[in-house]
Amino acid sequence: MKNLPKLQQLTDAVYAAELAKVADFNRQEQHLRQRLVELKAPVTPDGISPFALAGADLKWQSWIAESRRALNIELSRVLAAKERARAGLFTALGKQQAVKKLIENQSLKRRNHTS
């Protein structure tokens, strides 16, 4: 099979592209999780929110709840897309390994025939 090196290049490129997709979803996930952490309301040393002291606590809590809801929906979307991308990554990895094995077998056959 003369085309195995080209096939290996192709499977390597597909694997790299799938890996990049998963890495992008990982970055998105980390960003969303960090934003969720940042939504925790600050508190004063006596445990009272500065917003409660200013009389804006109910509006603040409502805004936080809505923001959390929106971020959790987006996080769910990203996690679902990440799982689909991981499935593509595993498929690409399997194809890449299969082509490597074919190349190894072809190389062994050549060595055995020349010996």
Side-chain angles (χ1 to χ4, degrees):
M1 295 182 130
K2 293 180 181 181
N3 293 330
L4 282 179
K6 288 181 183 178
L7 188 57
Q8 182 178 19
Q9 289 176 343
L10 178 62
T11 57
D12 288 347
V14 169
Y15 176 75
E18 293 295 327
L19 190 60
K21 285 181 194 177
V22 171
D24 183 50
F25 287 123
N26 282 336
R27 281 189 293 279
Q28 289 179 42
E29 178 187 359
Q30 286 177 328
H31 175 72
L32 289 167
R33 289 187 187 280
Q34 181 59 39
R35 287 184 60 196
L36 283 165
V37 167
E38 291 168 358
L39 279 179
K40 291 186 177 173
V43 291
T44 59
D46 59 2
I48 299 173
S49 163
F51 301 102
L53 294 174
D57 198 41
L58 291 177
K59 286 185 180 183
W60 174 250
Q61 291 302 323
S62 176
W63 181 84
I64 285 178
E66 182 57 32
S67 297
R68 272 189 166 307
R69 187 181 81 64
L71 287 171
N72 278 318
I73 289 170
E74 182 64 15
L75 180 59
S76 295
R77 186 194 65 75
V78 167
L79 291 173
K82 177 180 163 182
E83 282 307 308
R84 288 189 300 274
R86 284 178 48 138
L89 177 65
F90 292 141
T91 299
L93 177 62
K95 290 178 181 180
Q96 182 188 43
Q97 289 175 340
V99 170
K100 281 184 181 180
K101 190 68 173 170
L102 286 172
I103 290 172
E104 288 173 12
N105 289 344
Q106 187 180 51
S107 180
L108 282 173
K109 284 181 184 179
R110 283 186 187 149
R111 278 191 236 141
N112 288 341
H113 280 41
T114 59
S115 300

